[in-house]
Amino acid sequence: MILFRSAMGLSAAIFLAGCVSEGGSQNAPATSVAAASAFRITGVSVPPLKKENLCASIGGRGATPSVVVRHSAVAGVPIRVRMYDVLSTGRLFEHGTTRVMSNASGTTTVTHQFRPPCNTTRGRRNSSYRFDVTASGQTVTERWGTYNSGTGKIN
């Protein structure tokens, strides 16, 4: 009986030694729970919405913006970036979401092929394009710009 318990204890120790700390994998650095809970987003910036960012249907090239996230200097914390359009009717239109890991420098730049702004309603609806950046339970919303579909102007 004593031999059996020792073997079980050894098996459990070997199993636990092969586990990865929370938030990591064998291919990615682990993030401790304490570091992730201390993680804070301190700012989000996006260059102003310009005509080149609009889709081809309304005269643009669909150029992707770079979203710069400033945060605590902690590496490996998951950051979710979502782009969406709030129409003047109150309806939302999703332009895509991506996930990246935070950079140890405290600045993470996100470039993702979000669907470009493409409001072709010709004045029936206007669009307010926004980014939500979420990490460690905190969400920061950055308004990118407003597109007047009647006049074709960006505000």
Side-chain angles (χ1 to χ4, degrees), residues 21-24 29-42 71-79 100-103 134-139:
S21 64
E22 185 172 324
T31 301
S32 73
V33 174
S37 65
F39 185 88
R40 300 300 300 159
I41 298 170
T42 58
H71 52 78
S72 308
V74 177
V77 174
I79 299 173
V100 299
M101 298 302 240
S102 64
N103 189 311
T134 304
S136 289
Q138 178 186 11
T139 299

Side-chain angles (χ1 to χ4, degrees), residues 95-153:
H95 286 265
T97 300
T98 190
R99 284 185 171 77
V100 299
M101 298 302 240
S102 64
N103 189 311
S105 70
T107 301
T108 301
T109 300
V110 180
T111 53
H112 177 73
Q113 286 298 110
F114 294 104
R115 283 184 285 288
C118 203
N119 184 338
T120 57
T121 63
R122 294 186 175 88
R124 292 188 308 277
R125 294 181 205 104
N126 293 322
S127 298
S128 175
Y129 296 98
R130 302 169 191 202
F131 288 93
D132 279 352
V133 177
T134 304
S136 289
Q138 178 186 11
T139 299
V140 174
T141 301
E142 180 67 21
R143 193 165 150 246
W144 188 22
T146 302
Y147 178 73
N148 182 319
S149 66
T151 62
K153 299 227 184 262

Side-chain angles (χ1 to χ4, degrees), residues 61-84:
R61 294 184 301 115
T64 301
S66 291
V67 180
V68 178
V69 183
R70 289 175 309 287
H71 52 78
S72 308
V74 177
V77 174
I79 299 173
R80 178 179 171 256
V81 180
R82 167 188 175 221
M83 181 184 160
Y84 60 102

